[in-house]
């Protein structure tokens, strides 16, 4: 009788593959980012809401198993982020970690996750190292990176005559990568880099840095920072009369959240690059409306990118018939990315999700017809131009 009962149990398991193929009886996603510092609006709690939206839109389950989303604040510190990630993996059954604003954090968590055999999808960090020399077979990079920002914003300003650059750079991996990528693009197109100065993360006084930039004689001051750092630098540059004196500010990573933070009066005329704009078409506007109803803010590319990343991860699990890392990673590489974020996305061998990005100009206050209508789309930059050729990325996973 015991043998008969055991055989019946085995047959039942075979008849219900989802029970056998989803670990721990659920799929658990962690959204790890800055929720209290300079990037709190850039990603933060809004990215968590975007992840919840994606799960709800997918139906709340995958392979008949519930999907859970947890979140934590890494405080922009790689050691704190690594400790949270380790705890999530070791004791809380988290299957994948996403968002990962701050490049130093993203690099640390991607490396830890590679060793743990877990998937990461970065939407908040920018460094091209994630899909370059430090790439991972389980690491994916969505939404944007420093190369796309350099091609977009840097390229536009060089074409407009801004051929002499000085960089004001955040002193960590993201800032270095953005300065390096933009500087290389400027010099490759006939411009020069006359200098740079680095500032700590979450600086409040930019006086000495701006004075150096002003004295450099550069035609463009490239702000290789983000979030509140960029907002504060722009506000203080206005106090120093830098733009009035004939120099241009290049906000190399500036999103809708930051434009809203300083207002159209201060931001008008800025050129920037995003891979998503809520008011670009009817579909994105509908998504923006739904997002606004639950957050009180319109989504930027990090929020929409997180929605896309979660949705793509769940689609990959469904297609693989399991949440096992190797199988899901293979499906993420194989499946097209087709959602409100992009309908033309493809994942390269190095984990870079390639799709078009958009060159934007911030509207003048009188040209904005409705709340959060901040951009004119100046150009669409094809993904294959915006992102590094995977074969030239330095990623060991790419076969020549």
């Amino acid at each position: 009788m015991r043998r008969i009962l055991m055989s019946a149990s085995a047959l039942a398991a075979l008849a219900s593959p989802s029970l056998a193929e989803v670990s721990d009886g659920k799929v658990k996603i962690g959204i790890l980012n800055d929720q209290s510092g300079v990037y709190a609006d850039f990603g933060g709690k809004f990215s968590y809401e975007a992840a919840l939206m994606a799960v709800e839109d997918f139906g709340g389950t995958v392979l008949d198993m519930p999907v859970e989303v947890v979140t934590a604040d890494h405080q922009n510190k790689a050691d704190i982020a690594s400790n949270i990630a380790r705890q999530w993996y070791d004791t809380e059954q988290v299957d994948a970690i996403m968002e990962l604003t701050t490049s130093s954090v993203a690099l640390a968590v991607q490396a830890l996750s590679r060793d743990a055999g877990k998937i990461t999808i970065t939407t908040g960090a920018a460094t091209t190292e994630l899909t370059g020399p430090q790439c991972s077979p389980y690491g994916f990079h969505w939404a944007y990176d420093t190369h796309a920002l350099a091609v977009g914003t840097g390229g536009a300003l060089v074409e407009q005559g801004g051929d002499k650059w000085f960089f004001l750079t955040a002193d960590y991996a993201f800032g270095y990568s953005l300065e390096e990528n933009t500087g290389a693009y400027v010099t490759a197109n006939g411009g020069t880099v006359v200098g740079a100065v680095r500032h700590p993360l979450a600086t409040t006084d930019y006086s000495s840095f701006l004075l150096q930039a002003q004295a450099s004689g550069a035609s463009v001051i490239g702000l290789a920072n983000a979030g509140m750092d960029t907002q504060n630098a722009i506000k203080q540059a206005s106090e120093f009369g830098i733009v009035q004196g004939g120099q241009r500010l290049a906000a190399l990573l500036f999103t809708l959240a930051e434009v809203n933070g300083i207002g159209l009066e201060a931001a008008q005329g800025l050129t920037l690059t995003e891979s998503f704009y809520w008011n670009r078409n009817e579909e994105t506007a509908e998504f923006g409306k739904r997002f606004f109803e639950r957050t009180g803010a319109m989504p930027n590319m990090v929020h929409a990118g997180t929605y896309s990343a979660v949705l793509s991860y769940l689609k990959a699990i469904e297609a693989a018939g399991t949440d096992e890392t190797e199988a899901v990673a293979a499906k993420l590489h194989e499946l097209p990315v087709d959602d409100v974020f992009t309908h033309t996305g493809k994942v390269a061998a190095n984990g870079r999700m390639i799709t078009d990005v958009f060159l934007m100009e911030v509207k003048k206050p009188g040209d904005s017809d409705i709340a959060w209508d901040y951009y004119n789309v100046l150009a669409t930059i094809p993904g294959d131009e915006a992102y590094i050729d995977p074969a030239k990325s330095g990623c060991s996973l790419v076969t020549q």
Side-chain angles (χ1 to χ4, degrees):
M1 178 63 70
R2 186 176 298 135
R3 287 195 187 98
I4 292 171
L5 289 174
M6 289 174 66
S7 298
S9 299
L11 287 170
L14 289 172
S16 303
S18 61
L19 294 177
E21 297 299 333
V22 173
S23 59
D24 308 307
K26 63 181 178 295
V27 170
K28 197 168 183 179
I29 299 167
I31 301 299
L32 184 55
N33 58 16
D34 174 16
Q35 299 176 15
S36 56
V38 293
Y39 303 136
D41 290 341
F42 177 79
K45 61 187 178 184
F46 300 125
S47 290
Y48 174 60
E49 288 295 331
L52 293 177
M53 283 180 67
V55 172
E56 292 165 13
D57 288 352
F58 195 78
T61 64
V62 61
L63 301 179
D64 298 326
M65 292 292 106
V67 180
E68 183 180 347
V69 182
V70 295
T71 189
D73 183 356
H74 60 45
Q75 301 174 48
N76 294 311
K77 296 178 180 178
D79 58 340
I80 291 176
S82 296
N83 287 336
I84 292 169
R86 194 173 290 109
Q87 178 181 333
W88 276 356
Y89 291 150
D90 292 346
T91 65
E92 298 185 31
Q93 295 81 49
V94 168
D95 298 295
I97 297 178
M98 302 185 196
E99 220 271 38
L100 296 170
T101 297
T102 314
S103 292
S104 53
V105 164
L107 289 167
V109 174
Q110 179 171 283
L112 183 154
S113 301
R114 179 185 59 223
D115 294 341
K118 299 285 188 176
I119 285 173
T120 57
I121 306 181
T122 299
T123 58
T127 179
T128 52
E129 288 284 308
L130 288 162
T131 52
Q134 298 191 50
C135 66
S136 162
Y138 315 128
F140 299 86
H141 201 178
W142 245 244
Y144 75 106
D145 66 20
T146 52
H147 189 270
L149 300 176
V151 172
T153 309
L157 291 175
V158 171
E159 287 180 7
Q160 294 170 17
D163 59 354
K164 194 175 180 182
W165 286 62
F166 184 96
F167 288 97
L168 199 160
T169 303
D171 193 12
Y172 73 102
F174 152 69
Y176 312 151
S177 183
L178 187 51
E179 178 188 324
E180 180 183 358
N181 277 276
T182 307
Y185 195 85
V186 167
T187 55
N189 286 273
T192 57
V193 176
V194 298
V197 64
R198 291 174 174 173
H199 68 82
L201 183 67
T203 298
T204 56
D205 184 1
Y206 286 86
S207 301
S208 63
F209 308 124
L210 289 169
L211 286 171
Q212 291 180 64
Q214 195 172 35
S216 71
S219 55
V220 178
I221 300 170
L223 302 177
N225 49 23
M228 286 296 297
D229 281 339
T230 307
Q231 291 186 51
N232 289 332
I234 290 173
K235 289 176 183 177
Q236 291 177 38
S238 177
E239 296 170 6
F240 278 88
I242 285 177
V243 174
Q244 295 90 325
Q247 292 174 297
R248 300 188 67 172
L249 293 177
L252 295 171
L253 176 49
F254 208 56
T255 76
L256 198 75
E258 289 74 56
V259 174
N260 188 68
I262 66 172
L264 287 181
E265 188 65 40
Q268 61 181 308
L270 281 174
T271 302
L272 57 92
T273 302
E274 285 211 57
S275 51
F276 178 87
Y277 179 40
W278 76 270
N279 205 22
R280 195 168 62 86
N281 56 46
E282 290 184 6
E283 182 186 21
T284 55
E286 176 59 27
F287 176 80
K289 179 181 177 182
R290 291 172 52 217
F291 187 87
F292 185 86
E293 286 172 351
R294 60 194 295 160
T295 65
M298 285 296 182
N300 64 11
M301 65 180 172
V302 176
H303 310 138
T306 302
Y307 174 90
S308 174
V310 172
L311 208 57
S312 295
Y313 177 64
L314 295 177
K315 289 177 181 178
I317 292 174
E318 184 175 63
T322 176
D323 67 348
E324 191 274 325
T325 295
E326 295 281 355
V328 175
K331 286 298 180 182
L332 280 166
H333 281 286
E334 176 186 323
L335 295 174
V337 181
D338 185 6
D339 51 47
V340 70
F341 182 78
T342 177
H343 292 295
T344 61
K346 57 185 179 182
V347 178
N350 62 347
R352 173 69 255 172
M353 197 275 278
I354 297 173
T355 190
D356 297 346
V357 300
F358 307 102
L359 183 66
M360 314 283 198
E361 181 181 59
V362 179
K363 291 182 175 182
K364 297 177 181 177
D367 294 336
S368 179
D369 298 326
I370 56 176
W372 291 86
D373 174 38
Y374 295 156
Y375 294 158
N376 290 314
V377 180
L378 299 180
T380 299
I381 304 168
D384 289 334
E385 294 179 17
Y387 295 104
I388 297 172
D389 180 348
K392 299 178 182 177
S393 66
C395 173
S396 60
L397 302 172
V398 182
T399 57
Q400 302 297 323

